[in-house]
Amino acid sequence: MKVIVVGCTHAGTAAVEQILKKHPDTEVTVYERDDNIAFLSCGIALYLGRIVNRLEDMFYADPTTLEGYGAKVHMKHNVIKIDSKNKKIVVQDLNTQEIFEDSYDKLIMTTGSEVGVPPIGGMDNPRVLLCKSYDQAKKIYESALNYPSIAIVGAGYVGVELAESYANTVHEVTLIQSREQILNNYVDEPLSQTIIEKLKEHDVKVALGERVAEIEDGDQLTINTKAGHSYKADLVIVCTGFFANTDLLRGQVQMDGYGAILVNDYMQTSDPDIFAAGDSCAVKFNPTGEMKYIPLASSAVRQGTLAGMNIYGNVRKYMGTQATTAMALFGYTLAETGLTLKKALANGLNADCVTYHDNYRPDYMPTTEMLTIYLIYDKDTRKVLGAQLFSKHEVAQSANALSICIQNDNTIDDLAYVDMLFQPNYDNPFNYLNLVAQQAIDKEDNN
């Protein structure tokens, strides 16, 4: 069988490895328009914050890795057309400009995502930068060395992580967000306010409800908002989200309204000979059961592996995602999974939330830390729908445990009394996840 992999980010790398591990006789050809693969963009903030010294360490594979598996790898080769009816592609060698055709039995689309460029005047200014790729990260790092003040447009995960990184490197930072809260896809308003307070404690200026209209040039850049306010900075980094890079298959396979490819449980598109994985496709979001565009490296690796498994037949289904994420923020851990209360209610669910706020382990221990958990659940089914955790204690793995609860349709009754370890170094006789679920039961039983 001849398999072509178009684009080689996390999903593409995982697919190639999986195919050739199980079916080493497969002819696998990779076309990648860039000169690098497998870049962990989630590590950019670590590099900019001087926590990781070499940006190159954010690559966990290179073309020789894939060639070692047995793949034919063509870097700096841009696929400019896919003809799914005839199972052919048209490719341009970006070094020689030569254009040629290739054919496939199965095609795996792992072209990833692009940074969304908002309709803001002045985006072409050389001091206005985007943040996702290796080259963009290098440019940001080099530029920031010469500029003391930085404005970040967009307060999702990337924007907040960058704000923390630059605050820690003694830059003057302004974080500008079009919505009335930060991290609106991940946390509810109370936790958003807590995180804003932490940012302000580290001298980050946070501007909410400010949609940027234009960026004017000058000795300093002037960021003008539609609300009529202006902010000054030497450098502007725009991180307002991502979109699926899927134009090559538009009109040839089914997509959602945002251009993300729709796949079945086996990562197969509406064309049975084309598979898709990673940021190019929508994912099943388990808390609601709907297909959503949620670009995450964790999903990409899983989907790429499954695409590699399933090109020879339906071997293993994709389990869907809870979109579980975490970040380090000024010594705290923020972790979340599933739905926020606001999004649960917007999806028509009869949802509610309880808040746990206490030390994570007994007071008689030499030290302890305060832990806040917001647990979201369905009042009708009592199923766990989502959670947000914030503490100086490491709570990322607790978010993973709650992700499993959502995956398995567990209820607050299950979570309240599920067996968890007790050891005073780590928790109380009832673990804090038990305790927050018991709060939810008390709230429901007393209504």
Side-chain angles (χ1 to χ4, degrees):
M1 181 188 290
K2 183 175 182 180
V3 178
I4 287 179
V5 178
V6 181
C8 202
T9 51
H10 308 300
T13 301
V16 171
E17 179 180 5
Q18 183 62 39
I19 292 167
L20 294 171
K21 182 170 71 173
K22 294 293 185 181
H23 302 277
D25 295 333
T26 306
E27 184 181 344
V28 178
T29 303
V30 176
Y31 291 106
E32 168 56 52
R33 67 184 180 185
D34 215 332
D35 60 0
N36 59 75
I37 65 168
F39 176 65
L40 290 166
S41 58
C42 55
I44 291 175
L46 298 175
Y47 174 64
L48 299 179
R50 316 292 199 269
I51 296 169
V52 171
N53 293 324
R54 284 171 23 93
L55 189 60
E56 290 72 23
D57 291 340
M58 293 299 103
F59 293 105
Y60 61 89
D62 58 34
T64 60
T65 307
L66 303 186
E67 290 168 346
Y69 299 144
K72 298 176 183 176
V73 182
H74 299 279
M75 304 300 294
K76 301 291 290 183
H77 279 65
N78 186 34
V79 176
I80 56 179
K81 182 180 179 181
I82 296 175
D83 178 0
S84 59
K85 183 177 180 180
N86 296 302
K87 294 189 178 182
K88 291 183 178 181
I89 66 171
V90 179
V91 185
Q92 183 175 31
D93 183 331
L94 297 178
N95 292 314
T96 66
Q97 307 306 312
E98 175 193 3
I99 295 175
F100 59 93
E101 286 189 351
D102 201 352
S103 61
Y104 63 86
D105 296 311
K106 302 286 184 184
L107 183 141
I108 301 179
M109 188 77 164
T110 51
T111 43
S113 59
E114 301 281 355
V115 179
V117 181
I120 296 173
M123 284 295 295
D124 57 345
N125 191 299
R127 286 188 284 160
V128 178
L129 304 175
L130 302 175
C131 182
K132 184 176 191 290
S133 71
Y134 170 68
D135 288 334
Q136 289 168 345
K138 284 198 301 183
K139 194 175 293 185
I140 290 171
Y141 179 83
E142 292 162 2
S143 299
L145 292 175
N146 302 316
Y147 296 121
S149 66
I150 297 174
I152 298 164
V153 179
Y157 250 68
V158 176
V160 172
E161 285 184 324
L162 290 180
E164 190 232 18
S165 293
Y166 283 124
N168 286 335
T169 52
V170 203
H171 285 82
E172 181 183 322
V173 183
T174 303
L175 181 62
I176 304 171
Q177 168 74 330
S178 62
R179 297 179 183 269
E180 294 297 334
Q181 72 164 80
I182 66 171
L183 297 169
N184 52 283
N185 286 327
Y186 306 96
V187 304
D188 284 301
E189 198 275 338
L191 188 48
S192 169
Q193 283 301 319
T194 299
I195 296 167
I196 287 171
E197 289 168 12
K198 299 302 176 189
L199 289 164
K200 289 181 175 179
E201 286 173 10
H202 290 80
D203 299 320
V204 176
K205 299 173 186 174
V206 180
L208 300 177
E210 295 277 23
R211 187 173 295 277
V212 176
E214 64 174 345
I215 302 170
E216 293 182 3
D217 200 3
D219 290 339
Q220 280 193 306
L221 298 174
T222 303
I223 303 102
N224 297 317
T225 71
K226 292 187 177 181
H229 300 125
S230 296
Y231 302 89
K232 296 282 189 178
D234 299 311
L235 186 71
V236 176
I237 305 172
V238 177
C239 10
T240 51
F242 307 103
F243 65 91
N245 182 18
T246 58
D247 285 347
L248 286 168
L249 285 177
R250 194 172 297 279
Q252 300 187 75
V253 299
Q254 291 181 1
M255 299 182 183
D256 69 8
Y258 299 96
I261 298 169
L262 296 175
V263 293
N264 64 14
D265 289 341
Y266 298 96
M267 309 314 301
Q268 193 174 39
T269 71
S270 54
D271 182 322
D273 294 317
I274 297 178
F275 291 71
D279 288 5
S280 62
C281 64
V283 296
K284 181 184 176 184
F285 185 53
N286 288 323
T288 61
E290 63 182 333
M291 297 297 289
K292 292 187 65 176
Y293 186 61
I294 307 174
L296 289 172
S298 54
S299 295
V301 171
R302 287 164 178 77
Q303 290 179 323
T305 300
L306 292 171
M309 286 183 183
N310 293 323
I311 60 166
Y312 276 92
N314 295 343
V315 175
R316 187 179 294 277
K317 288 184 177 182
Y318 178 52
M319 297 173 70
T321 181
Q322 286 71 250
T324 308
T325 56
M327 74 160 70
L329 187 76
F330 302 121
Y332 288 80
T333 295
L334 165 66
E336 63 83 30
T337 186
L339 287 165
T340 63
L341 177 61
K342 184 176 181 178
K343 289 188 177 295
L345 295 172
N347 275 275
L349 296 170
N350 185 20
D352 205 347
C353 176
V354 290
T355 304
Y356 175 88
H357 189 68
D358 205 346
N359 290 322
Y360 79 94
R361 66 181 185 176
D363 293 341
Y364 57 72
M365 295 299 291
T367 62
T368 187
E369 294 291 348
M370 192 60 66
L371 165 65
T372 301
I373 306 174
Y374 297 90
L375 182 71
I376 297 92
Y377 62 94
D378 188 312
K379 291 168 66 68
D380 297 329
T381 65
R382 299 170 77 95
K383 288 181 182 178
V384 177
L385 297 175
Q388 302 146 46
L389 304 95
F390 190 71
S391 179
K392 284 188 175 179
H393 177 55
E394 196 284 297
V395 290
Q397 296 310 315
S398 293
N400 278 334
L402 290 165
S403 176
I404 296 169
C405 287
I406 301 170
Q407 177 85 58
N408 292 337
D409 290 330
N410 288 131
T411 65
I412 55 175
D413 307 277
D414 297 326
L415 180 59
Y417 297 104
V418 68
D419 181 35
M420 293 189 178
L421 69 85
F422 164 57
Q423 213 287 337
N425 282 295
Y426 306 109
D427 61 357
N428 289 291
F430 271 118
N431 181 272
Y432 40 83
L433 298 183
N434 297 132
L435 293 172
V436 70
Q438 289 171 24
Q439 279 185 238
I441 291 173
D442 289 343
K443 185 173 184 178
E444 289 309 299
D445 289 351
N446 291 327
N447 281 343

